[in-house]
Amino acid sequence: MARILIILLMVLGGGLISSQSTQNGVQILFGELINTGHMLKTEKQILRLSPSPLQEELGLITGKQIRLLCDVNGETCAPMRYELTPLEANKTPDWTLKKIPRYVTGGHFSFNPQVTPDGKMLFWTALIKEGSRSTQKIWAAKKDQHGFWMAGEQLPSPLNNRLPSAVISALPGGNELFVFGNFGEEEMMEMLKKEMLFRSQEASREAINPKDFHAKLGKLEIEYKERSEKIQNRAPLYKSYRKEVGFSTPVPINFPSFYNWYRKADNPYQQVFGGSALSSSGRTIIYSAQQKKNVGKLDLYATFQSDNGLFEEGINLGSMINSAEEEMAPFLAPDDKTLYYSSSGRKEGVSIYVTRRLNDQWTSWSEPQELSPNLRGVNFFSIPAQGNWAYVSRDGELYMASIPKSFSPEPVVVIKGKVVDEDGNPLSASVLYESLSKKKSLGSTISDPNTGEFSIILPYDENYGFFGEKEGYLPSSQNLNLVGKEKTDEEKTIVLVLPKIKKGNEMVLNNLFFAFRSIEIAKESESELDRLASLLKKNPRLKVVIEGHTDNVGGESANKKLSVERAVSVAGYLKQKHKLEEGRITTKGLGQTDPIADNKSDEGRAQNRRVVFKILED
C-alpha cells in the first residue's frame, strides 16, 4: 500500500516518471492533458507543465488530446501554444468541429472568422466592452512556422474606431482587407450640417421677403435630405492596405448604385446589411441587401468592378439561391464558382448552404445543399484556398470544421511571391494578373512593405500573365498557362525583381511570345509590350536597347539572325503602334552567345530564348 502511494505521489505530485528523456528546447509534443491540465502524458513520458498564461485554459480541457508547442527543460515543459485534436493534417469525419483555442481570441465573444486564402492569417470580430456599452472590433492572429495559431490581438486605429467594424474578406496574403464599418460618415454629416446652416443664414440675408426666404429654405431642406440619405446609404464597405506599420485608413469602395431598404420591424430606422464577400481577385462582390429586384427579405447580389474602378449595379443571383426569408453572410471560394452562405428560409433556423456557378453567368446556380445539420446555428463561414478545414463561429466561439471533398471548391494554384529590387531589398509594389488570351485584367494585390511578400490565387482554365510594378522601377512579369491542365491544388513560389530605372539596368520580357523559330509576335504578348510603351512615355528621357537571345538549337548564324529579327520586331511594335521616337530604341541580336542557363535541358533552353529590355540613358 505504501509503495502504491509513493508512485502516485511521484506521478501526480512533485516528481515525474519518464520512460525516455526528451531533449531540451522548443519542441512539438503530442499527448493527453492530465492532472487538471498540469501534466502532459505522451507515448514516451509524462511532463510537468510549468505555470503559464495557458494554465487555466489547459485545465478546462483536461483529458483532451492536444498538439503542444512547448519549451522543454528536463522533466518540465513551458507551454506556448496548442492545437486540439483532430489535427489538420489527419483524416477526420466530415464536418467535425474543433474549437480554436481561447488564448487566440482572448476569451472574448468572437464571430465572423475570415481566413486569408493562403491560410496564414485569421481575422474575426470580437465584442468588446467599452465603458457601459459593447462594440464590435477587428481582431487578427497569424499562424507560426509550426502551424499553431498565435495569440490574437485587436487591430489599432484606423481599422478600429468607436463604431462597429469588421473584416468582410481578406485578400491573399492578408495585405489588403475588405472591411465593414463607418469611416468618415459622421464627419461628412457634420460638414453637411455646417454647410446647410451657412447657406440658410445666407438665404436669410439675401431673401427679398419672408415668402422668398421660405422658398429658398424649402429647397435647402430637400437638398439636405437627398445628400444626407446618399451619405447614409453608401455601401458600408471599404478597402484598407498594409503599411509599414499597421493598415491604411479605410477608403470607401466606388459603388454609387448601392442601396438597401431592409429594416427590422422592431427598429425601422436601422438599416440591416446582410454581409458581403470579395472574390480573391478583388473584382467581384457578393452582397446581401434588400433592393427592388428582391425575391425575399434579404437577397444575394453580385456586382463587378469595371476597369475604371467602379462597381456596377448589382445582379440578383436568382430564385435558385434566394428564398422568401434572409440569405446572408456569403463566402465566395477562391475558385470564383463555389458560394457558401447562410439562409433562414430553407429549414427551421439558420444553416449554411453551398451552391456552384454552372457557367460564366452569375444567375445560373446548382440547387443549394445544406452543408451539415452539425452546422445549424452557424452563420459565418470561410475557407482557405487549400486545405480541408473551414472556419466558422457559433455562440461566440471560433471553430474549425472539416470539409468533405464533395463540398470543397475546385482546386486552384496559390502563387506565393516576393517583390524585391535588384539588390534583394523588399518592395511594396502592385502585383496584377491578367488573361493573356483575352487581354483582360483579372485582379491585383499589393506586396507587404516590410517583407515584399504577396499571394495571388489562380483558378484553372486560363492562361495568366502576372507582373509587379512600382513608380521609379522597371516592371517584372511571369506567366502561367493553366488551360487544359490537370486540376490539383498547387503552390508555386516566385520572386519578382524590379530594378530601379537607371542606366545599365534591364529586365527580361517574360510575357513576350513568338511562334516557334519565328519573328511573329503572338497576340498574348501585346499587354506586355503595351506596358513597356507606357513606361517609355512616362519617362521621356529614357533610351533603351532591345536585345534578342536564343538557345543553342540550330546553327550559330541562324540563331544570330533570329535574335536580331526578334529584337527588331519588338522595336517595330513599340515604334509603330505607340508612335515612339526612332532614336529612343535601338536593337541588338546576340544569338546563342550569352546564355543565362544550361542549354542541356528544356527548361534551361527556354530561359535562354529571351528578349531583354536594357536602359542606355536615363
Side-chain angles (χ1 to χ4, degrees):
M1 182 70 176
R3 184 180 176 190
I4 294 172
L5 180 60
I6 290 169
I7 291 173
L8 285 173
L9 287 172
M10 290 178 70
V11 173
L12 301 179
L16 291 171
I17 293 180
S18 172
S19 62
Q20 183 175 333
S21 62
T22 303
Q23 291 180 348
N24 290 339
V26 176
Q27 298 173 42
I28 298 173
L29 303 175
F30 299 86
E32 178 187 352
L33 287 169
I34 61 174
N35 193 25
T36 62
H38 286 79
M39 295 182 177
L40 181 73
K41 180 181 178 182
T42 71
E43 286 186 355
K44 297 178 179 179
Q45 66 181 142
I46 297 175
L47 288 170
R48 182 189 308 282
L49 302 185
S50 58
S52 76
L54 293 179
Q55 189 164 359
E56 182 181 349
E57 187 173 339
L58 294 174
L60 295 173
I61 56 173
T62 297
K64 301 284 188 182
Q65 296 282 333
I66 66 168
R67 185 174 79 112
L68 182 67
L69 185 67
C70 218
D71 189 357
V72 177
N73 183 13
E75 296 179 334
T76 64
C77 161
M80 299 164 66
R81 299 175 196 119
Y82 75 90
E83 173 193 6
L84 284 166
T85 57
L87 303 179
E88 289 186 53
N90 296 348
K91 185 170 176 58
T92 309
D94 295 347
W95 300 120
T96 297
L97 285 174
K98 74 167 184 173
K99 190 181 293 185
I100 290 177
R102 286 176 66 82
Y103 77 82
V104 178
T105 63
H108 298 291
F109 188 97
S110 300
F111 58 100
N112 180 37
Q114 297 294 327
V115 65
T116 53
D118 60 11
K120 299 300 184 186
M121 287 196 71
L122 182 65
F123 298 88
W124 67 92
T125 307
L127 201 60
I128 303 296
K129 196 167 182 63
E130 292 185 338
S132 60
R133 69 186 188 100
S134 294
T135 189
Q136 298 174 13
K137 300 289 188 182
I138 297 171
W139 276 56
K142 293 180 180 179
K143 263 191 178 175
D144 67 15
Q145 68 271 32
H146 307 293
F148 293 95
W149 285 113
M150 300 168 70
E153 58 183 4
Q154 182 173 305
L155 296 185
S157 173
L159 281 183
N160 284 311
N161 54 31
R162 69 181 194 83
L163 297 169
S165 51
V167 170
I168 298 295
S169 296
L171 268 68
N175 296 333
E176 295 176 90
L177 300 181
F178 183 55
V179 298
F180 166 89
N182 185 314
F183 301 94
E185 280 83 349
E186 285 189 325
E187 291 82 354
M188 291 172 69
M189 287 295 295
E190 193 61 35
M191 289 178 64
L192 178 61
K193 288 176 184 177
K194 288 180 179 178
E195 179 191 339
M196 288 298 155
L197 177 62
F198 174 79
R199 289 173 62 185
S200 64
Q201 292 170 342
E202 195 175 53
S204 175
R205 290 192 298 269
E206 295 176 355
I208 301 170
N209 51 46
K211 184 178 180 182
D212 182 36
F213 170 69
H214 285 296
K216 289 181 177 180
L217 194 61
K219 288 180 180 178
L220 286 175
E221 287 173 349
I222 292 171
E223 182 183 344
Y224 174 76
K225 183 181 178 183
E226 289 176 348
R227 288 175 63 183
S228 62
E229 285 181 351
K230 191 172 182 181
I231 293 171
Q232 292 165 357
N233 288 328
R234 276 172 39 177
L237 304 173
Y238 301 77
K239 286 286 265 317
S240 179
Y241 305 88
R242 188 182 296 280
K243 301 192 304 180
E244 288 186 7
V245 178
F247 283 85
S248 65
T249 299
V251 176
I253 63 166
N254 194 357
F255 190 4
S257 63
F258 175 84
Y259 63 95
N260 180 22
W261 291 336
Y262 194 48
R263 308 288 189 274
K264 289 285 189 181
D266 58 353
N267 189 354
Y269 299 102
Q270 182 181 2
Q271 181 187 104
V272 178
F273 179 60
S276 62
L278 191 68
S279 67
S280 59
S281 69
R283 302 292 295 269
T284 301
I285 297 174
I286 308 294
Y287 67 95
S288 169
Q290 188 179 89
Q291 300 185 341
K292 61 185 176 182
K293 296 177 183 177
N294 260 48
V295 173
K297 294 177 181 177
L298 277 172
D299 280 11
L300 297 183
Y301 289 77
T303 177
F304 313 100
Q305 188 180 40
S306 59
D307 289 339
N308 63 5
L310 182 101
F311 280 95
E312 302 161 343
E313 184 177 355
I315 298 170
N316 189 292
L317 298 191
S319 57
M320 179 62 77
I321 288 178
N322 292 314
S323 71
E325 293 298 321
E326 297 176 350
E327 272 61 52
M328 299 185 297
F331 174 78
L332 185 63
D335 63 5
D336 277 358
K337 295 179 181 178
T338 309
L339 176 66
Y340 304 86
Y341 65 99
S342 70
S343 174
S344 62
R346 296 184 175 274
K347 295 189 177 178
E348 186 176 346
V350 174
S351 195
I352 302 287
Y353 294 83
V354 61
T355 179
R356 301 179 195 275
R357 193 153 52 94
L358 300 177
N359 50 38
D360 289 340
Q361 304 303 309
W362 288 79
T363 53
S364 180
W365 298 87
S366 65
E367 185 171 351
Q369 292 179 272
E370 184 183 23
L371 294 186
S372 169
N374 200 29
L375 296 186
R376 287 182 189 164
V378 166
N379 54 2
F380 293 97
F381 187 96
S382 74
I383 56 174
Q386 297 174 355
N388 304 317
W389 292 82
Y391 291 79
V392 302
S393 59
R394 177 192 278 168
D395 301 327
E397 299 279 3
L398 303 185
Y399 293 85
M400 296 175 68
S402 59
I403 312 173
K405 194 165 183 63
S406 58
F407 286 98
S408 296
E410 291 186 8
V412 293
V413 174
V414 178
I415 301 292
K416 292 192 173 181
K418 189 172 184 179
V419 183
V420 297
D421 64 16
E422 68 267 35
D423 297 319
N425 301 310
L427 291 176
S428 177
S430 297
V431 180
L432 303 95
Y433 55 105
E434 61 193 352
S435 166
L436 293 176
S437 53
K438 298 172 186 173
K439 290 184 64 178
K440 179 182 178 183
S441 175
L442 297 177
S444 64
T445 187
I446 59 170
S447 56
D448 186 313
N450 297 301
T451 65
E453 294 174 352
F454 70 91
S455 294
I456 56 177
I457 308 296
L458 302 180
Y460 279 83
D461 298 324
E462 189 64 77
N463 186 10
Y464 294 100
F466 46 94
F467 58 96
E469 62 179 13
K470 183 178 177 67
E471 192 74 29
Y473 293 79
L474 292 174
S476 176
S477 62
Q478 294 197 26
N479 59 79
L480 183 64
N481 191 348
L482 297 179
V483 176
K485 304 291 185 182
E486 181 185 354
K487 294 183 179 180
T488 58
D489 282 325
E490 285 191 55
E491 186 174 298
K492 294 184 180 294
T493 303
I494 65 164
V495 176
L496 296 177
V497 180
L498 275 58
K500 289 178 182 174
I501 296 177
K502 66 179 183 181
K503 183 178 179 179
N505 276 352
E506 63 182 53
M507 65 176 180
V508 177
L509 304 182
N510 287 316
N511 287 345
L512 175 64
F513 309 99
F514 295 93
F516 182 70
R517 309 303 292 177
S518 168
I519 65 170
E520 182 182 349
I521 297 173
K523 286 291 271 188
E524 289 86 349
S525 309
E526 292 182 1
S527 295
E528 179 97 325
L529 296 180
D530 292 344
R531 279 193 298 274
L532 206 56
S534 177
L535 175 75
L536 288 166
K537 288 177 180 178
K538 286 180 183 176
N539 298 273
R541 291 167 51 184
L542 283 188
K543 290 186 178 181
V544 301
V545 58
I546 307 295
E547 292 182 351
H549 299 262
T550 69
D551 57 26
N552 66 349
V553 176
E556 189 172 334
S557 60
N559 283 333
K560 173 79 171 178
K561 180 174 181 292
L562 180 62
S563 67
V564 170
E565 290 176 341
R566 283 184 169 177
V568 169
S569 183
V570 170
Y573 179 96
L574 295 172
K575 292 173 184 176
Q576 293 160 25
K577 180 177 178 180
H578 294 281
K579 313 299 183 198
L580 291 167
E581 299 91 330
E582 186 78 27
R584 295 184 63 194
I585 305 173
T586 56
T587 60
K588 183 187 291 186
L590 298 175
Q592 63 190 50
T593 62
D594 190 20
I596 57 173
D598 194 334
N599 274 310
K600 293 178 181 178
S601 68
D602 290 340
E603 186 180 80
R605 287 191 292 273
Q607 291 182 56
N608 290 331
R609 296 189 297 270
R610 67 197 189 279
V611 172
V612 176
F613 174 93
K614 183 180 289 186
I615 299 174
L616 295 177
E617 291 183 26
D618 58 3

